[in-house]
Amino acid sequence: MATSSEIVVEKSPNDKRLYRYIQLPNGLSALVVHDPDIGLPQHEHDEGSEDDEHDDDEETEDSDFDDEEESDAADDEEEETQGSTKAASQKKAAAAMCVRMGSFSDPNEAQGLAHFLEHMLFMGSTDFPDENEYDSYLSKRGGCSNAYTETEHTCYHFEVKRDCLKGALRRFSQFFVSPLVKAEAMEREVLAVDSEFNQVLQNDSCRLQQLQCHTSNPGHPFNRFFWGNKKSLADAVEKGVNLREQILKLYHDNYRGGSMKLVIIGGESLDILESWVLELFSSVKKGPLVNPDRGSELPIWKVGKLYWLEAVKDVHILDLSWTLPSLRKGYLKKAEDYLAHLLGHEGKGSLLFFLKARGWVTSISAGVGDEGMHRSSFAYIFGMSIHLTDFGLEKIHEIIGFVYQYLKLLRQNSPQEWIFKELQNIANMEFRYAEEQPQDDYAAELAEGLLVYPPKHVIYGDYAYDVWDAEFIKYVLDFFRPENMRVDVVTKSFQKSDDVQQEPWFGSRYVEKDIPSSLFELWKDPTEINVCLHLPAKNEFVPSDFSIRAEKAKCDLENAKPRCILDEPLMKIWYKLDNTFKLPRANTYFRITLRGGYSNLKKALLTELFIHLLKDELNEITYQASVAKLETSVSLYGDKLELKVYGFNDKLPVLLSKVLAMTKTFLPRDDRFMVIKEDMVRTLKNTNMKPLNHSSYLRLQVLCQSFWDVQEKLFLLNDLTLADLKAFIPDLLSQLYIEGLCHGNLLEEEALNISNIFRSNFSVKPLPFEMRHKEYVMCLPTAADLVRDVRVKNKLETNSVVELYFQIEPEEGTSLIKLKAVIDLFDELVEEPLFNQLRTKEQLGYVVDCSARVTYRIMGFCFRVQSSDYDPVYLQGRIDNFLNGVEELLDGLDDKSFESYRSGLIAKLLEKDPSLAYETSRFWGQITDKRYMFDMSEKEAEELRRIQKSDLIEWYHAYLRRPSPKCRRLSVRLWGCNTDWKDADSPVASAQVIKDLTSFKKSAKFYPSLC
């Protein structure tokens, strides 16, 4: 019998969900969540399935600019995968299980075993022995799944159509009761773990993390290899370790009720959900939580060392780490977040503001990371990641000196209650007006929360600034001393010396140096604090008005779609009042078309420089607003500056006014021009270092008429001067066209007032339609079979990629919805069998996927495989072999299975947007694509009800099977460093190899521009 505790889970007053915390006699803790928006299923058809699925991360290729360091930031083209147009109606059900066991539990002789175990639980159970039964079940029912292994826990989660929750739970529960761990599956899954490791082999942040593990004290839990690969697991076998025995021991020792936290989110009542937990999870083995002592009392790292790590990308990063005690129990005090707020601040008086002014630093982030290594049960690691300029790389000791000056300032100005209260206010309003997230993400977050917080604070814990404790902040601050600091420098400008060492798993080269004791003494107690360093001012953007506009407005509540409220030669504004989420938030998105911003390569680069410099100039203001949860995003798409201002709506017009006023009067300065240009050069050098990004870039380079090559951009950028930019800006802003969307907690008059802010700042002539940049996409010739071969950019990258693209039709006319419905249903049907065949069975590589591709509204379909073991010729042969078998797959699909897939896709299309942000994004995609079909998902769902299996077979024969004249394909083949490039020259039957891209594009035909 489960014990339903009397614990009341503290939740936002706006959260309509009901929560119940229960414990089973076997020790398993569960949180069942009734979500009224899921609705009660009309029927329960949760049995019957063959086939399979795997969670697919659809990627969106878009902006020139991306704030993520790891992204390739120079993909010029805005291209989106289909599937981003969800409509509001239903929500999915979801579940997650967190097991308190992770990589710290790996035996020394079989490193990566916990991660390998996570993989093996997907490979069948006693009740459901088929290897892909679980994934297949979810795939047919509009669902997906994933899992990840952390240092101290492993999390498994899924989401599924609401009426299939119990069937999914039946399969899911067996992971934790009776997994088979079949020997033959183990041999294949070792390769999957190895492919996953090869994905990150050239990732600088992963290399740094492994160096920090490798150089930690022997015997400490950090001193291991968390990922696992073929070598670490196969070596164990060679040393006589019985891997299956070890994996089962790890499972039986740790996968017990006392270690498990389960979350189920459904439309059923709490009583029914509780009964399912009891029925399905009572068989989990009873057992207390075992916490073996793992040497965690040892110091993590040697004192007084500086590590130089050779980077893969062209970067200079100074990484400072201080070891703190575990602060989990102090979550109501948030001392580490108080300090992160100040050390990572970007306003006047901050370290970043000061070091940027000197031209040494481009960004700083500070705080305790979310990953397990940084936030474990025995220690927190507080990190500062400082991105340096070339000049800053020479000033590392001075920069660390200024960090310690700022820390001295924090000690002298004892902790400030007003700063804590400001953070408390912001956290309280975030908690009260939290936006929902996708169901499986929320389930996983709650399950993780049960591991670290008391059940009553499983939601509130992250937001809780409940206890002001100045002494506790001082106590934590006292750990920020040089003798408790680790220093890493990640740079391409690696100092070659005799004492270069190699980290064994990634093969990274590094040098270990002693920090001179004289510097240590200087940092311990700096002789002065620079007068430019001081605490931040009060934040002017913290909102005070949280009233809901939908409660006042009567006339606009019936509008389910945005409507145009202003249409003038200069400006077009779309508007929708939110009446769904009823939170004090608004999203205002704008695209400002600039005169001649993309008409040639030089102008495109000058526009890009202007946008980067503008972002840099705006940062002080936009940072302050972002602390108060009012965000700004500035990006560039061709000749369009995209400005997004979104978050709590109270101060949104104030921020927008400041941003536009600064944009209007902005004049770049020489010192910032040099820094930003250097940063742009570095970004371009780093573009296409990731093979999957590179293959997409190469495909778009063929398809898009105006596509500026990265090398051409780099060559011309070197010659551009500040004088060029200053001469260019007035013309760039002399004629504009603005299209925008105001969506959320705004009345129509407020939206019109926002349009007036634009008008008052830009009293310029409208930019007529014919002067705006148009993108033209190549119309591949009838029966085209094109091949493009290119080598990987990074000479040490072992991964090869094949991206096989089929061009379908332009998105226009009455057939658009039917064609989209057929393509999306084909994707649903084929994605999982493709994954099962090419990854699970053939183990070609970690990434195996397929998806619709829409390139400026020209429809296409793509198959992709990335592999570090096979060359592109072989990979393409395997994709072709799979494609040849698709007819048999479709023919063999019985009516019941077809209906499962179809109703699963309909459920996906009609899935309720989790938050205002998702709904805005859906509307904005329709506006930027110039489609304006705001109910596209509903129309597609309606069309799907009429689609028959014969429609899919007919489409497949027409567009994907040669020799059909409509089968037009482009194969992009990216060759890894360990493949034989000579094989690229071996003749390909019937294929045309693109040797000279420029002349090929000159003779090509292009579709008329649609957006």
Side-chain angles (χ1 to χ4, degrees), residues 449-464:
L450 286 171
L451 288 172
V452 294
Y453 297 124
K456 68 173 180 178
H457 283 162
V458 64
I459 305 170
Y460 179 59
D462 282 347
Y463 301 92

Side-chain angles (χ1 to χ4, degrees), residues 64-65 592-615 634-642 666 673 676 680 708 713 717 720 724-725 728-729 731-733:
D64 251 353
F65 291 81
I592 305 165
T593 308
L594 308 162
R595 180 190 159 104
Y598 202 69
S599 51
N600 60 40
L601 178 54
K602 182 177 180 180
K603 288 184 175 181
L605 280 170
L606 287 169
T607 305
E608 211 170 313
L609 271 167
F610 169 71
I611 300 296
H612 274 308
L613 281 156
L614 177 63
K615 279 175 78 169
V634 178
S635 328
L636 183 64
Y637 295 86
D639 61 346
K640 295 170 187 67
L641 186 170
E642 184 174 84
F666 172 59
F673 178 82
I676 296 300
M680 251 180 88
W708 311 122
K713 287 170 92 171
L717 181 58
L720 295 181
D724 292 330
L725 184 58
F728 174 69
I729 291 171
D731 195 48
L732 185 71
L733 300 178

Side-chain angles (χ1 to χ4, degrees), residues 599-832:
S599 51
N600 60 40
L601 178 54
K602 182 177 180 180
K603 288 184 175 181
L605 280 170
L606 287 169
T607 305
E608 211 170 313
L609 271 167
F610 169 71
I611 300 296
H612 274 308
L613 281 156
L614 177 63
K615 279 175 78 169
D616 180 63
E617 182 74 9
L618 293 171
N619 187 65
E620 187 196 343
I621 289 176
T622 56
Y623 174 77
Q624 281 280 20
S626 75
V627 171
K629 308 304 168 188
L630 181 55
E631 305 288 348
T632 312
S633 154
V634 178
S635 328
L636 183 64
Y637 295 86
D639 61 346
K640 295 170 187 67
L641 186 170
E642 184 174 84
L643 170 65
K644 295 179 176 179
V645 182
Y646 54 98
F648 286 92
N649 60 272
D650 182 24
K651 301 290 172 70
L652 191 152
V654 177
L655 177 59
L656 186 62
S657 295
K658 286 179 185 282
V659 165
L660 292 181
M662 287 178 77
T663 303
K664 174 183 152 188
T665 58
F666 172 59
L667 273 177
R669 301 188 313 277
D670 188 51
D671 59 333
R672 298 314 297 160
F673 178 82
M674 298 310 293
V675 169
I676 296 300
K677 181 176 164 181
E678 178 194 307
D679 211 41
M680 251 180 88
V681 166
R682 189 169 290 127
T683 300
L684 287 167
K685 283 181 178 175
N686 292 332
T687 298
N688 294 335
M689 292 292 270
K690 287 184 174 177
L692 290 172
N693 290 14
H694 195 180
S695 64
S696 293
Y697 167 96
L698 293 168
R699 171 170 51 80
L700 292 167
Q701 193 177 31
V702 172
L703 294 175
C704 299
Q705 189 176 51
S706 47
F707 187 101
W708 311 122
D709 179 71
V710 166
Q711 292 309 119
E712 288 174 12
K713 287 170 92 171
L714 258 175
F715 184 72
L716 185 53
L717 181 58
N718 286 319
D719 298 333
L720 295 181
T721 64
L722 181 60
D724 292 330
L725 184 58
K726 282 183 170 173
F728 174 69
I729 291 171
D731 195 48
L732 185 71
L733 300 178
S734 64
Q735 283 180 277
L736 305 173
Y737 179 72
I738 301 153
E739 186 164 20
L741 168 66
C742 296
H743 178 215
N745 195 41
L746 296 168
L747 294 170
E748 184 174 337
E749 66 206 62
E750 292 176 294
L752 288 168
N753 287 339
I754 283 170
S755 71
N756 287 331
I757 299 173
F758 276 92
R759 201 177 276 107
S760 61
N761 280 287
F762 296 109
S763 50
V764 296
K765 289 180 186 167
L767 185 69
F769 177 77
E770 57 276 9
M771 289 177 69
R772 300 173 212 159
H773 172 71
K774 318 276 186 310
E775 193 50 71
Y776 298 95
V777 176
M778 184 184 292
C779 174
L780 298 185
T782 300
D785 189 10
L786 305 170
V787 174
R788 185 163 187 218
D789 288 301
V790 177
R791 293 192 222 209
V792 287
K793 184 169 177 175
N794 172 9
K795 302 292 185 286
L796 299 173
E797 178 60 72
T798 58
N799 282 296
S800 294
V801 177
V802 167
E803 190 161 325
L804 184 58
Y805 167 81
F806 292 84
Q807 194 167 68
I808 312 300
E809 299 285 353
E811 248 194 25
E812 55 187 349
T814 52
S815 61
L816 156 65
I817 296 294
K818 180 174 181 181
L819 195 51
K820 182 170 169 12
V822 170
I823 293 172
D824 287 349
L825 186 53
F826 179 81
D827 187 19
E828 289 288 303
L829 282 158
V830 165
E831 176 193 39
E832 196 282 330

Side-chain angles (χ1 to χ4, degrees), residues 399-460:
I399 290 168
I400 296 173
F402 284 120
V403 170
Y404 279 102
Q405 284 189 31
Y406 195 84
L407 286 165
K408 185 172 183 177
L409 171 82
L410 295 184
R411 289 189 181 98
Q412 284 183 358
N413 293 293
S414 56
Q416 304 287 303
E417 190 171 5
W418 73 265
I419 294 176
F420 184 84
K421 283 272 194 284
E422 192 171 86
L423 295 172
Q424 184 184 55
N425 286 342
I426 292 165
N428 283 343
M429 74 187 196
E430 259 215 296
F431 174 66
R432 186 181 181 95
Y433 303 110
E435 286 206 280
E436 286 190 28
Q437 52 189 315
Q439 297 281 56
D440 62 333
D441 291 348
Y442 188 54
E445 188 180 284
L446 289 173
E448 278 197 5
L450 286 171
L451 288 172
V452 294
Y453 297 124
K456 68 173 180 178
H457 283 162
V458 64
I459 305 170
Y460 179 59

Side-chain angles (χ1 to χ4, degrees), residues 50 92 176 199 201 209 440 557 709 902 936:
E50 338 59 14
K92 287 190 184 146
F176 314 103
Q199 287 272 96
L201 192 54
Q209 187 189 49
D440 62 333
L557 299 184
D709 179 71
R902 183 167 63 178
M936 190 160 162

